[in-house]
Amino acid sequence: MSSTELNQNATEQYQLLLAAIARHRNDRGALIPILHEAQEIFGYLPLEVQRTISEELNIPLAEIFGVVSFYSQFSIYPKGKYRINVCMGTACYVKGSGDILDKFKERLSIDIGECTEDGRYSLDACRCIGACGLAPVVTVNDEVFGKLNADDVDGIIDRFEKLEDIK
Amino acid sequence: MSKTISEIHEIRAKKQKDLLIRTDPSAVPTKEGGRMHILVCGGTGCTSSNSLKIMEELEILIRTSGMQDDIKIVKTGCFGLCAKGPIVMLYPDHIMYTLVQPEDVNEIFDSHVKNGIPVKRLLAGEQKDGEITNALDSLDFFSRQMRIALRNCGAINPEDIDEYIARDGYLALEKVLTEMEPEDVIDEIKASGLRGRGGGGFPTGVKWNFAAAQQEHEKYVCCNADEGDPGAFMDRSVLEGDPHSVIEAMIIAGYAIGASQGYIYVRAEYPIAVERLDIAIRQAREYGLLGEDILGKGFNFNLELRLGAGAFVCGEETALMTSVEGKRGEPRPRPPFPAVKGLFGKPTILNNVETYANIPVIILGGAQWFSSIGTEKSKGTKVFAIGGKINNTGLVEIPMGTTLREIIFDIGGGIPNGKKFKAAQTGGPSGGCIPASELDTPIDYDSLIALGSMMGSGGLIVMDEDTCMVDLAKFFLEFTVDESCGKCPPCRIGVKRMLEIVTRITEGEGCPEDLELLEILARNIKAGALCGLGQTAPNPVLSTMKYFKDEYLAHVIDKKCPAGVCRSMLKFLIAQDTCKRCGICKKNCPANAISGDKNTPFSIDQDKCIKCGVCMEKCPFKSILKNA
Amino acid sequence: MNKVCVTIDGISLYVPENYTILQAAKEVNINIPTLCFLKDINEIGCCRMCLVEVKGAKSLQAACVYPVSDGMEVLTHTPKVMEARKVNLELILSNHNSRCQTCSRSWMDCELQALANKLSVETVRFEGEKKLLPLDIGPSIVRDPNKCILCRRCVSVCKNVQTVGVIDLVNRGFNTRVAPPFDMSLSDTPCVNCGQCINVCPVNALHEKSDIDRVWEAIYDPGKHVIAQTAPAVRAALGEAFEMPVGTLVTGKMVTALKMLGFDKVFDTDTGADLTIMEEGTELIDRIRSGGKLPLITSCSPGWIKFCEHNYPDMLDNLSTCKSPHQMFGAILKTYYAKKNNIDPADIVVVSVMPCTAKKYEAARPELKTEGMPDVDIVLTTRELSKMIYDIGIEFPELGDSDFDSPFGNASGAGVIFGSTGGVMEAALRTVSDLLTDRSADNIEYEEVRGLEDIKVAAIQIGDLKLRAAVAHGLGNARKLMEAIRAGEQFHFVEIMACPGGCVNGGGQPLQRSDFRNWTDYRVLRTKGLYREDRSSYIRKSHNNPSVKKIYKEFLGAAGGSKAHELLHTHYIPRDNYK
C-alpha cells in the first residue's frame, strides 16, 4: 500500500471507530463493547485508538489501558495474518497440547503472545474453546484443527506457507 | 409483529404438527413440515469437524433433485456425543449417523434419503451389528441420561423460535404472567430445590427472594454465560442448541424479582453461541416476548448481550458485574451481596445458563415433579462435560445421585486403550480429584464437597494411569496464576508461590518441607482470599495431596515421577536382555546421547539425554524403558 | 441512625448500623491492623490485613469494609486470624524490595515495616520470583514499582479524589502493577505533580524527586548567597516529622533550624503571598471595573495550573496572571533585594521550602525566569527539609525560636492563611474590601470561605458590589466547579487549590500513617495552627505589610503596573493530554 492509501485506510478505520462509539455511547458500561469493536476494526488497540476512546467517553486513558491489559483478548500489539491459538484447556492439556505449543514455538521461533517478524503468524495459548471432543485442538483464525499431535504442526504451517507462496 | 397469546398458541399447534415426525415415526407428515427431517449438528464440536460442509452438500443435492419441499435440513445444537461428531440424525427413521465426513454425503443421500436404505457403516456404535433402532433409546450414552436442561439440544433448530414454541416454549412464561404472582414464582422455584448450577450450589429461589425483597425501582437479572472452567462446555451447548430457554427463564426471573432489564454475559470465545443468542433475542423481540407489555400482560423486560474478553475471574459473580460495568473484572467483597447491591449498585440476581434452562420446565412440570428427581439436598439433574481419557467425550445429563462409575463407564464408555482409571477431576480449577476408591459415591453438591472437590459448572475430566497428579496440580495452579485478577495478595502472590513450589517438586528440586509450606499456603489462601476463585485455588493441590500423597513423596524423596510425566525426573534406560543392537535408537536420538554398536552394548548418556522419548517410540523391540 | 448490637472478642456494644467491623472494634479500643484501607479514599478490602472471623461466615472477612449487623459476633484474634494475617504479610514482603536500610521511607513511618513489627514477622518463608522494574523519575515525583505493594491508594486518590487518573492498575495476577498507560513516564502524562499519591503511599513506592544534595552543594559553596523562603503550610506540619503533636506551629524553630543548616538568609514566603494579594486584588478590581474576563481564578497552586492547562485550555484567560507567591518573591529577591544588597543575582540561590511537590515542576518552567535566571532555583518539600534537619542531628523540638531575617521580616496574617483552603480568598477579600471601599474594615474573618466543605460559595457585600466567590479544594472539586462555570454559573472570584484541604495537605508535607489518618483529620489540626498564627499577627492584611509597601514604593511602582507585570506575572500554555 502507498502511504496515501494507508492514510485513507486509517481515516476510514477512525470513522468506523467513531461510529461504534456513537452507537454505544449511551449504554451503561459501554467501554468493553467499544473496545471489542475497536479491536475488530484495527486488529489491535494501539495508543491512538485508546486515546480516541478516552477522549470520546471521558474515561482516563490509564483506566482504559488498565481494562485492556486486564483482559487477555485485548492486545496492544498487532496480531499475525494467521492467528494461531493452541487450546490449553484441561482436556487438550492431558492429551498433549503442551507439546504442540512447544512445537509451534520452535517452528516459528516466537513465544506466546508474539508475532513473527514478517507479520504472518502470531501464537497464543488459549483457554478451553469447548471442542473437547476433538482434543487437542488448535485454531488458526476461525479454522479448527482437531485431534492433533506435535508432528502435525509442520503440516499446518506448510499449508499456510503454500497459500502465501501462491499469492 | 407482536403476538397475542392466542397467536402464539396457533403457532405452537401448527409447528407441533410439522415436527411430529421427529417424535412419532408413524406421524403423518404435513405439507409445510415435509416428510423427512435431516438434523445436522451445528454445535462447536461438530462444526469444527466440518458439519457445515456436510449440511451445504446435502442442501445442494436436495435442491438439485427438487426435493426441498419434502426434505428439510435442520441445523441443531449439540447432541452431546462430541467424540463421534459430526453427527447427522434422520427423521422419521430415527437414524443417527456418526463421524460423518463430507465424502459420505452422496451415499447418505442416494441410499437413505432417496431409497430409504440406511448407510450401515455410519450408524452410531451399538446399532451397527444389530437391528436398526432408535439411537436415542438404544445407545447407552443416551438411554441412561435424563435430559431436562438439554431437552431441546439436538432436537430443534435453535435459530427458529417456532420450533422452540412447538416444544412448549414460552408456555411457562405465559403461565407465569397469566396465573402467578411474583411470589408464587419464587415459592415454586424454592420448593423445587433448584440450586445454582454454576459452582457454589446456592438455592436459586432463596437468591431470587432476597432480590425481590429489595425496595428498589431498578433491578437487574444477569446470566452468567462466561463458562470458563477448562473442559466444561455445557452452557455453550445450551446457548447454541436452545437459546430461547435461557431467554424465557430470564424474563420469568425479571417478573419474579421486579426487574425489567437483563444482561447475558457470554464468552467472546463462543461465536456460535453469541450469534444464536443474538438471533433468538431478535426473534423474541419480534414476537413481543421481550420488550414492552409482554404478551399483553403489562410486564416489560429487555435483554442485552455483553461479551467477555478473556478473563476467567469474570465467572465470579461480583467480577462479572464489575466487567459489565465496563471495568477490570475484579471481584468486590461481599456483603453487600448482589441481591442487595449488585450491577450498577442495584439489586441483581445472577444465575448461570444451565440453572436458567431448568426454570421453564420447573414452572410447567411443577416443583413437586422436579424435586422428585435427585438426592435429598440436590434436586434435579446435572449436565457434565466429560472429557480427558474417556471414550465418549461429550455432554451428558444425569439425575443427581448418579455414581461416577455410571457416568464414566456406562455412559462414557470407559477409558481408551485398556488403561486403568486413576482419578476424575471435577469443578475445574476450583475443584479437586476423586480417586478410584470413590467411584461409587453418588454425585451431588454435598458429596463432592465432602470428597474435597466440588460440582463447579460440571466439567469432568478423566485421568488414567499416565497422568501425574503433581503435574495436574501444577496445571491448575498455572491456570489460576494466569487468571488471578491480582487484587488480593493471597491469590496474587500466594498461588504464585504454590505454583513455584509445585514446579520445583516436578523438577526434582523439592524437599519434604515444601509439602508443609504448600499446606500452610493452601490453608491461608482458602481462609483469606477475597473471592471464591482465590479461596478455592488451592483445592487441586489439597485434593491431590489428600488422595495421592505417595506421588508427591515419590517426587520429593525418591526424585521419581511414578507416571513418567515429569521430564526432569525421567530416565530412559536400555534393557540389555531384549536389545537386539539394531541401532535404530541411536540413529533417531536428536541429542546424540546413545552409544553402542553391534559389539558394544547400547547405552544412554544421561547427561546428554533430553528425555524426548523418541528412542522409546522408535525401538521395534520395546527394549527402552522409562524410569526403570 | 439506628444502632445495632455487636459482640467483638466477647465485648458487646451498640454501634450505628452503618459502621464497619473496623469502626466497631475501635470503639472497644481494638486497633485491627490495616494496610490498603484509607478512610474516604480507598475502602475496597483488597489487602487482606484486617481479616477477622465473623461467626457464620465461611472464610475470614475484611473488617475495613464488612458492615456490622445486629447480633453479629466477631473475633479479631484467633489462631486462624493471626496465621492468615501473618502469611499474608509474608507474601506481600516476598514480592517487595525489602532493602529497608537504603530506603528513604525507613526513617519516616513505613506502614509495611510497622506491620511487620506488629505481627512479629521475623522470616519470610515463601520467597520466590520478585518483579524488577525500572524506576520512573519525573520532575517532581519518583515511582519505584519494586516497592509497590498494590494497595491502590494512589490509584484511588489520583483517579477518584483528584480526577487526574494518570496511574491505574495494569495487567493482572502476579503481573499486576500500578503504572501510567503504555508504560509512559509520569512526565509524559497529564500528571499535575500534586503528590497526593505520595501522601497516601504506605511505603516508598512514591516519593518526591530529592533536591537535598543540590541544596547542600549550594550551602557549601562559599561563593553563593543561599536564601531559604518558607511557605505558610510548612510551619504547621514540620514538627510532625519530629514527633511533635499534629498542628503544632513551629515557625520560630524552623527559622532557627534553617539558619543552623547554613542558609545565609531565611525569609517568609508570606511576603510573596502579600505581594500576590496586591497584584491579584488589583487584577480583580480591574477586571470587575473594566468588564474583563470573569471569574478571576487564583493561580497560586501549580498543580491546579497544570490541571487547568490540560483540562480547561479554553479557560486559561480566567486564570490570574499572577505568579505564585514564592515565584514572585524569588523574582523580587533576584532583582530588588540583590540590587539593594549589592549581590550579583547570579550568585543568589533561592531555595523554596514548600508543602508541595508541584512547585518543583513549577520552578523549572521556562516562563518563570527573570532575565534568563529562574526566579526560584531549588524547591524542597517539607519532608526534605525535615530530612536535612534530621541528617545533621539537630534536635528540632528542643530548638529556640528565631525571627525571619530582615529586610522582609514577618509578613501579614493574610499571607499565613494562604496555606489552607479558602485562605487566599479570605486574604484577597481583606484587601479588596479595603481598596474598593477605601476604608479599613474591622470584620476580617470570612467564615463562609473557611472549612473543608467540597465547594464553598459565598456572596459578599463590599460597598455596593455583591461579590460572588467560590472556593474549591482538591482537583475533583475543582473539576465540578469548573464545569459549573462552563455551564454558566456566575462568579467574580474563584479560589482553587489542587490539594484536598489546601497546602496544609500538600503533596510535600510530612506523612501520616493511615492508622492515624483513619481516625483523625489532620488537615483540621494543621489549619487551626495557621489561623492561630493569623489571629496573633500584628498585621493581618496584605496591603498593610510595611515591607510590601516599601517594595512598591522603592521598586515596583504601582500594583499592576508595568514593572510589577514584568516581574510578578506570567502566562499559561494549553497542553496535550498525552505526548
Side-chain angles (χ1 to χ4, degrees):
Chain A
M1 263 192 273
S2 71
S3 66
T4 37
E5 275 175 299
L6 265 175
N7 284 338
Q8 179 81 30
N9 200 10
T11 318
E12 275 168 31
Q13 285 177 323
Y14 275 96
Q15 273 162 0
L16 285 172
L17 175 62
L18 291 174
I21 294 172
R23 219 169 29 253
H24 290 288
R25 189 188 295 279
N26 295 325
D27 295 352
R28 296 181 93 171
L31 177 61
I32 292 174
I34 289 173
L35 289 172
H36 271 300
E37 292 205 25
Q39 183 153 294
E40 192 75 5
I41 296 164
F42 292 88
Y44 68 118
L45 298 166
L47 172 61
E48 272 312 309
V49 170
Q50 292 190 38
R51 247 178 75 159
T52 306
I53 298 172
S54 163
E55 281 157 15
E56 291 292 321
L57 292 185
N58 228 340
I59 298 175
L61 181 64
E63 183 175 328
I64 293 179
F65 186 73
V67 169
V68 168
S69 64
F70 183 86
Y71 295 98
S72 58
Q73 285 192 342
F74 295 136
S75 174
I76 57 166
Y77 302 108
K79 290 280 165 195
K81 182 171 178 193
Y82 300 105
R83 300 181 308 276
I84 301 165
N85 264 300
V86 181
C87 178
M88 293 299 271
T90 322
C92 289
Y93 182 79
V94 299
K95 286 188 167 175
S97 61
D99 294 338
I100 294 173
L101 183 63
D102 288 344
K103 183 73 197 204
F104 272 113
K105 287 188 197 169
E106 187 195 315
R107 166 76 196 252
L108 299 171
S109 310
I110 52 174
D111 210 343
I112 295 173
E114 292 180 350
C115 183
T116 52
E117 272 176 28
D118 58 6
R120 219 170 255 187
Y121 304 97
S122 55
L123 181 63
D124 284 292
C126 68
R127 292 291 161 224
C128 184
I129 60 165
C132 307
L134 301 176
V137 179
V138 169
T139 63
V140 181
N141 297 348
D142 289 335
E143 196 174 345
V144 182
F145 297 83
K147 297 184 180 167
L148 298 177
N149 64 54
D151 293 339
D152 298 324
V153 166
D154 282 324
I156 295 173
I157 299 289
D158 290 344
R159 214 187 94 185
F160 291 107
E161 285 294 280
K162 236 180 240 164
L163 265 175
E164 286 298 304
D165 289 346
I166 292 165
K167 284 179 189 164
Chain B
M1 257 300 279
S2 241
K3 306 280 181 217
T4 63
I5 289 179
S6 58
E7 281 168 334
I8 299 270
H9 284 189
E10 277 166 34
I11 291 169
R12 181 174 297 120
K14 186 185 161 299
K15 201 69 179 181
Q16 273 173 347
K17 278 187 201 141
D18 292 346
L19 299 188
L20 205 56
I21 62 164
R22 293 190 204 164
T23 39
D24 180 2
S26 58
V28 184
T30 59
K31 188 162 179 298
E32 271 176 52
R35 67 165 176 88
M36 180 184 263
H37 293 178
I38 305 177
L39 277 59
V40 182
C41 176
T44 296
C46 286
T47 49
S48 299
S49 37
N50 255 337
S51 68
L52 296 185
K53 184 110 194 284
I54 293 167
M55 214 171 93
E56 260 170 49
E57 296 195 358
L58 267 172
E59 263 168 3
I60 293 170
L61 287 173
I62 289 168
R63 223 176 317 116
T64 47
S65 25
M67 299 165 81
Q68 61 270 30
D69 290 340
D70 254 8
I71 317 275
K72 302 287 177 194
I73 296 182
V74 181
K75 184 169 76 178
T76 69
C78 179
F79 285 80
L81 191 53
C82 305
K84 299 278 165 62
I87 287 173
V88 174
M89 188 91 195
L90 267 79
Y91 291 108
D93 304 356
H94 283 84
I95 294 295
M96 178 185 266
Y97 292 122
T98 55
L99 294 168
V100 181
Q101 292 304 307
E103 305 79 274
D104 301 325
V105 168
N106 273 322
E107 194 180 344
I108 294 176
F109 181 75
D110 289 338
S111 167
H112 194 160
V113 177
K114 273 164 85 177
N115 298 313
I117 305 164
V119 182
K120 278 206 170 178
R121 62 175 185 90
L122 293 173
L123 290 175
E126 288 115 289
Q127 289 185 321
K128 271 182 191 162
D129 310 314
E131 286 283 287
I132 293 168
T133 51
N134 181 344
L136 298 181
D137 298 336
S138 66
L139 284 181
D140 274 346
F141 181 81
F142 291 109
S143 63
R144 287 173 178 264
Q145 295 190 45
M146 182 177 210
R147 290 164 82 93
I148 295 175
L150 298 177
R151 61 193 178 280
N152 291 327
C153 288
I156 60 166
N157 175 359
E159 295 179 11
D160 182 355
I161 188 172
D162 291 357
E163 291 207 9
Y164 177 72
I165 289 173
R167 308 258 299 186
D168 287 345
Y170 292 107
L171 195 58
L173 176 65
E174 182 193 319
K175 179 176 171 186
V176 162
L177 292 184
T178 50
E179 297 170 23
M180 297 170 87
E181 292 297 319
E183 43 272 33
D184 301 335
V185 178
I186 289 173
D187 287 345
E188 195 71 18
I189 302 301
K190 266 203 216 157
S192 75
L194 177 67
R195 293 168 66 174
R197 299 295 194 239
F202 193 82
T204 305
V206 176
K207 196 190 263 185
W208 289 19
N209 201 26
F210 281 141
Q214 301 304 313
Q215 302 297 322
E216 282 256 18
H217 180 64
E218 193 183 334
K219 295 180 188 179
Y220 294 99
V221 171
C222 289
C223 174
N224 186 348
D226 190 48
E227 186 169 54
D229 283 8
F233 53 95
M234 59 288 298
D235 291 347
R236 193 204 66 211
S237 288
V238 171
L239 295 176
E240 287 177 358
D242 192 17
H244 284 287
S245 67
V246 175
I247 294 170
E248 182 180 4
M250 290 181 74
I251 307 169
I252 293 172
Y255 176 75
I257 70 158
S260 56
Q261 176 68 42
Y263 289 94
I264 303 179
Y265 188 88
V266 58
R267 291 182 84 192
E269 291 95 326
Y270 286 173
I272 299 177
V274 171
E275 192 194 329
R276 296 206 180 136
L277 268 173
D278 217 33
I279 294 171
I281 289 174
R282 220 166 35 217
Q283 291 176 341
R285 232 174 247 152
E286 274 166 27
Y287 276 21
L289 296 161
L290 279 174
E292 309 288 301
D293 192 19
I294 294 169
L295 292 175
K297 294 290 164 192
F299 174 64
N300 307 333
F301 192 78
N302 274 302
L303 259 185
E304 218 179 286
L305 270 186
R306 283 297 165 94
L307 263 58
F312 174 75
V313 67
C314 290
E316 198 276 346
E317 62 174 356
T318 59
L320 183 147
M321 290 171 200
T322 319
S323 182
V324 173
E325 288 166 6
K327 302 182 203 139
R328 294 164 59 89
E330 292 171 345
R332 35 195 195 220
R334 296 174 306 183
F337 289 96
V340 179
K341 221 175 158 191
L343 188 62
F344 304 118
K346 301 294 172 190
T348 304
I349 55 161
L350 175 76
N351 292 110
N352 91 327
V353 171
E354 190 187 337
T355 315
Y356 280 126
N358 277 295
I359 299 289
V361 195
I362 292 174
I363 297 291
L364 289 179
Q368 208 180 355
W369 159 75
F370 189 82
S371 62
S372 69
I373 307 161
T375 62
E376 193 200 334
K377 285 185 175 160
S378 304
K379 301 300 184 190
T381 58
K382 178 75 194 86
V383 183
F384 283 95
I386 48 179
K389 307 290 184 65
I390 190 156
N391 279 314
N392 295 338
T393 302
L395 269 196
V396 303
E397 181 171 356
I398 41 111
M400 297 275 189
T402 308
T403 65
L404 260 188
R405 188 183 300 283
E406 289 170 86
I407 301 173
I408 294 168
F409 291 94
D410 298 344
I411 301 173
I415 319 292
N417 307 323
K419 297 273 185 177
K420 248 172 52 197
F421 170 84
K422 185 175 192 174
Q425 209 280 349
T426 69
S430 304
C433 290
I434 302 160
S437 58
E438 303 292 342
L439 269 174
D440 291 312
T441 309
I443 297 300
D444 66 14
Y445 289 102
D446 310 289
S447 66
L448 283 176
I449 297 269
L451 291 175
S453 183
M454 65 186 284
M455 186 77 83
S457 57
L460 197 157
I461 306 290
V462 178
M463 261 94 45
D464 67 9
E465 55 200 292
D466 292 339
T467 310
C468 166
M469 300 314 275
V470 185
D471 182 64
L472 184 83
K474 187 177 95 178
F475 167 78
F476 280 112
L477 288 176
E478 277 172 351
F479 181 90
T480 323
V481 165
D482 258 12
E483 297 294 341
S484 163
C485 82
K487 191 168 178 180
C488 74
C491 181
R492 179 180 72 237
I493 313 171
V495 181
K496 168 84 174 171
R497 296 291 176 249
M498 286 184 77
L499 172 61
E500 287 168 343
I501 294 170
V502 170
T503 303
R504 67 178 180 249
I505 292 174
T506 60
E507 285 170 355
E509 311 285 330
C511 58
E513 292 74 43
D514 281 342
L515 301 184
E516 198 192 332
L517 287 184
L518 278 179
E519 273 171 16
I520 296 173
L521 282 170
R523 183 166 66 233
N524 289 290
I525 293 167
K526 249 177 129 77
L530 193 155
C531 79
L533 170 66
Q535 287 163 11
T536 54
N539 281 356
V541 172
L542 287 174
S543 81
T544 49
M545 277 176 82
K546 179 173 169 189
Y547 295 115
F548 301 94
K549 187 78 174 248
D550 51 332
E551 276 194 49
Y552 279 87
L553 291 172
H555 282 77
V556 167
I557 293 166
D558 310 329
K559 307 291 178 199
K560 274 190 180 150
C561 172
V565 171
C566 299
R567 280 212 187 148
S568 52
M569 274 177 283
L570 268 187
K571 224 176 184 179
F572 289 91
L573 292 170
I574 298 174
Q576 299 301 337
D577 50 338
T578 54
C579 174
K580 302 276 190 278
R581 300 191 187 175
C582 66
I584 288 176
C585 58
K586 185 178 168 184
K587 217 160 55 197
N588 281 291
C589 175
N592 288 327
I594 303 179
S595 59
D597 54 40
K598 281 229 153 31
N599 305 314
T600 342
F602 277 73
S603 67
I604 301 174
D605 182 340
Q606 296 299 333
D607 290 338
K608 284 189 185 167
C609 176
I610 56 164
K611 291 148 191 187
C612 63
V614 166
C615 54
M616 190 174 170
E617 221 173 89
K618 300 284 179 187
C619 175
F621 310 106
K622 294 193 168 20
S623 294
I624 294 182
L625 308 173
K626 203 157 69 167
N627 252 5
Chain C
M1 181 66 63
N2 285 332
K3 290 205 164 191
V4 294
C5 181
V6 294
T7 306
I8 296 174
D9 293 340
I11 309 168
S12 294
L13 72 155
Y14 281 89
V15 292
E17 63 180 356
N18 65 348
Y19 263 35
T20 60
I21 293 175
L22 186 73
Q23 286 171 303
K26 181 78 176 174
E27 296 278 298
V28 289
N29 303 310
I30 297 169
N31 257 323
I32 296 171
T34 58
L35 188 54
C36 69
F37 180 75
L38 201 57
K39 189 171 175 276
D40 298 331
I41 293 173
N42 201 45
E43 305 184 349
I44 57 173
C46 80
C47 78
R48 317 310 282 170
M49 285 317 308
C50 63
L51 293 173
V52 293
E53 265 187 57
V54 177
K55 205 168 175 187
K58 228 172 21 190
S59 56
L60 300 176
Q61 301 297 334
C64 68
V65 289
Y66 202 99
V68 293
S69 58
D70 200 43
M72 174 187 273
E73 284 178 53
V74 179
L75 295 169
T76 72
H77 65 94
T78 63
K80 192 176 173 186
V81 165
M82 299 312 276
E83 190 191 32
R85 287 182 190 162
K86 195 164 177 168
V87 167
N88 191 37
L89 188 56
E90 279 181 71
L91 288 171
I92 294 173
L93 289 169
S94 79
N95 194 26
H96 173 74
N97 173 353
S98 300
R99 296 178 66 177
C100 301
Q101 301 86 342
T102 52
C103 177
S104 60
R105 184 67 193 254
S106 219
W107 82 286
M108 292 178 283
D109 282 328
C110 170
E111 295 189 29
L112 190 62
Q113 218 173 66
L115 267 182
N117 284 327
K118 188 167 181 156
L119 301 184
S120 305
V121 173
E122 282 155 5
T123 62
V124 172
R125 289 168 289 177
F126 316 106
E127 293 290 359
E129 185 189 335
K130 269 186 192 188
K131 290 270 163 250
L132 202 66
L133 298 159
L135 262 58
D136 173 12
I137 302 170
S140 294
I141 296 172
V142 178
R143 285 192 315 114
D144 180 351
N146 305 314
K147 298 272 184 196
C148 175
I149 54 164
L150 297 175
C151 70
R152 309 179 173 213
R153 289 182 190 173
C154 56
V155 173
S156 196
V157 85
C158 183
K159 180 157 70 179
N160 304 331
V161 177
Q162 297 295 66
T163 64
V164 170
V166 290
I167 43 173
D168 213 312
L169 294 142
V170 173
N171 297 335
R172 70 181 185 212
F174 192 71
N175 298 320
T176 309
R177 56 202 155 82
V178 169
F182 288 88
D183 282 304
M184 291 176 189
S185 163
L186 273 181
S187 348
D188 297 333
T189 71
C191 168
V192 301
N193 306 302
C194 71
Q196 285 302 308
C197 54
I198 299 175
N199 273 9
V200 299
C201 182
V203 291
N204 205 33
L206 287 154
H207 53 90
E208 68 272 60
K209 191 174 125 268
S210 174
D211 285 302
I212 292 176
D213 289 347
R214 286 175 63 207
V215 174
W216 283 125
E217 202 181 308
I219 287 174
Y220 292 147
D221 183 340
K224 297 289 183 197
H225 183 79
V226 189
I227 300 169
Q229 56 160 321
T230 67
V234 176
R235 67 202 63 175
L238 181 62
E240 292 168 30
F242 303 95
E243 286 169 30
M244 296 168 78
V246 177
T248 310
L249 213 54
V250 293
T251 320
K253 292 183 199 298
M254 174 183 72
V255 177
T256 308
L258 283 163
K259 290 185 176 172
M260 289 170 80
L261 289 175
F263 285 97
D264 295 302
K265 291 284 176 189
V266 181
F267 297 134
D268 192 348
T269 306
D270 298 1
T271 306
D274 286 335
L275 280 170
T276 302
I277 290 303
M278 296 305 293
E279 291 300 316
E280 210 164 76
T282 309
E283 191 179 2
L284 177 63
I285 292 167
D286 277 356
R287 289 200 193 192
I288 291 173
R289 285 189 176 149
S290 67
K293 187 105 176 170
L294 288 174
L296 177 71
I297 306 177
T298 58
S299 58
C300 310
S301 169
W304 152 242
I305 291 300
K306 189 159 184 273
F307 185 81
C308 190
E309 288 174 328
H310 283 292
N311 295 285
Y312 301 96
D314 53 322
M315 293 165 84
L316 293 180
D317 288 347
N318 286 90
L319 291 177
S320 160
T321 56
C322 289
K323 291 179 181 175
S324 72
H326 83 121
Q327 296 289 152
M328 282 197 181
F329 198 32
I332 292 294
L333 290 172
K334 290 199 175 177
T335 52
Y336 170 71
Y337 171 83
K339 205 162 142 196
K340 227 177 138 130
N341 294 280
N342 247 333
I343 307 169
D344 180 354
D347 289 333
I348 293 180
V349 178
V350 176
V351 177
S352 297
V353 181
M354 298 282 126
C356 183
T357 43
K359 296 274 182 201
K360 286 179 187 270
Y361 174 86
E362 180 192 37
R365 279 179 179 247
E367 63 271 24
L368 292 178
K369 283 183 177 169
T370 304
E371 288 165 18
M373 269 179 294
D375 297 334
V376 170
D377 297 280
I378 306 171
V379 172
L380 287 179
T381 61
T382 313
R383 283 191 298 272
E384 285 172 284
L385 174 61
S386 70
K387 185 69 169 53
M388 290 178 76
I389 294 170
Y390 175 83
D391 282 356
I392 60 166
I394 293 174
E395 295 179 340
F396 186 80
E398 308 304 320
L399 294 182
D401 290 346
S402 304
D403 283 332
F404 284 110
D405 283 320
S406 56
F408 302 109
N410 290 341
S412 77
V416 174
I417 58 173
F418 259 57
S420 170
T421 170
V424 178
M425 173 65 69
E426 183 167 341
L429 290 173
R430 289 178 189 178
T431 291
V432 169
S433 171
D434 283 9
L435 294 183
L436 276 177
T437 56
D438 210 15
R439 62 182 178 86
S440 179
D442 298 330
N443 189 4
I444 58 165
E445 294 193 354
Y446 294 86
E447 286 294 338
E448 55 269 62
V449 297
R450 295 186 181 185
L452 289 172
E453 203 185 314
D454 290 351
I455 295 172
K456 292 160 281 188
V457 175
I460 291 145
Q461 196 68 47
I462 302 174
D464 46 12
L465 171 72
K466 190 162 214 148
L467 186 129
R468 279 185 52 81
V471 176
H473 62 115
L475 292 171
N477 294 329
R479 188 184 287 278
K480 276 187 224 150
L481 180 56
M482 292 299 279
E483 296 298 334
I485 293 169
R486 217 182 225 169
E489 210 163 321
Q490 304 275 329
F491 296 103
H492 294 98
F493 192 38
V494 168
E495 177 208 288
I496 292 178
M497 294 189 188
C499 293
C503 310
V504 288
N505 185 31
Q509 292 283 62
L511 300 170
Q512 281 298 345
R513 251 161 52 181
S514 59
D515 56 3
F516 174 77
R517 359 184 350 176
N518 284 337
W519 311 105
T520 312
D521 193 340
Y522 61 80
R523 298 174 302 177
V524 173
L525 301 175
R526 289 176 185 169
T527 304
K528 274 188 186 154
L530 292 182
Y531 283 110
R532 253 197 330 271
E533 180 155 310
D534 167 42
R535 201 161 289 172
S536 64
S537 294
Y538 175 64
I539 296 161
R540 296 182 69 189
K541 295 174 181 168
S542 299
H543 56 281
N544 292 341
N545 179 341
S547 42
V548 165
K549 283 187 187 167
K550 204 166 158 196
I551 295 168
Y552 277 104
K553 194 171 159 215
E554 290 180 2
F555 184 63
L556 290 172
S562 66
K563 184 89 176 171
H565 254 276
E566 183 195 329
L567 290 177
L568 308 182
H569 289 252
T570 183
H571 61 275
Y572 309 104
I573 309 144
R575 283 173 203 274
D576 272 348
N577 273 345
Y578 286 92
K579 272 189 187 166

